[in-house]
Amino acid sequence: VEIIKVLGTPTRDQILSMNPEHVNFVFPRIQSYPLKKIFRANTPNDSVDCISKMLNYTPQHRPSALEVMAHPFFDELRESQTRLPNGQHLPDLFSFTKDELNNPEFKSKLIPEWYRKRY
């Protein structure tokens, strides 16, 4: 019920897409609540946007893991100068399988140019 407090009551089609066995279940009628109001005022818009895309009742409308990783919220991790809080370099974040990089759009977005030049 907590997710309904944020997303609002799912429609019949959304319930059907999640679990056809619960299509006749009667959920409480609740209006959605803006995600931006749930987070602190200084929460970056990209983070709220990324979360809002993942929080979708219809599984087919949710982004894939690769789509989430390509979201602008994670752009900082693709910058060559990004470091861990202790100053050390980030671990290798760009070792994807050939299947994962089958889509050229993902490849160019997920693997930064500075990294591609090194390898």
Side-chain angles (χ1 to χ4, degrees):
V1 174
E2 293 301 313
I3 197 72
I4 292 176
K5 291 178 183 176
V6 176
L7 297 181
T9 304
T11 66
R12 183 174 172 80
D13 287 341
Q14 289 170 324
I15 296 168
L16 183 64
S17 71
M18 291 183 288
N19 188 338
E21 293 181 17
H22 287 86
V23 78
N24 292 322
F25 187 82
V26 178
F27 289 94
R29 303 299 303 160
I30 298 174
Q31 284 289 101
S32 62
Y33 191 80
L35 277 177
K36 188 72 176 162
K37 290 184 177 183
I38 293 172
F39 297 98
R40 293 185 177 139
N42 61 348
T43 302
N45 289 335
D46 280 342
S47 63
V48 177
D49 181 65
C50 187
I51 291 169
S52 71
K53 286 182 165 94
M54 291 186 285
L55 292 178
N56 192 313
Y57 286 127
T58 307
Q60 298 82 0
H61 294 169
R62 295 179 201 143
S64 69
L66 286 174
E67 289 170 327
V68 171
M69 287 188 289
H71 190 277
F73 175 71
F74 294 104
D75 282 351
E76 183 180 2
L77 296 176
R78 291 182 275 278
E79 294 174 5
S80 62
Q81 302 305 315
T82 300
R83 300 286 183 267
L84 294 171
N86 65 6
Q88 293 185 0
H89 289 277
L90 295 174
D92 185 7
L93 302 175
F94 312 114
S95 55
F96 297 97
T97 66
K98 287 182 181 182
D99 287 341
E100 291 170 327
L101 297 176
N102 200 20
N103 181 329
E105 182 184 339
F106 282 136
K107 185 175 184 177
S108 65
K109 180 64 177 172
L110 292 174
I111 302 178
E113 189 173 337
W114 66 264
Y115 186 86
R116 283 182 265 154
K117 287 180 178 178
R118 286 180 30 194
Y119 296 96

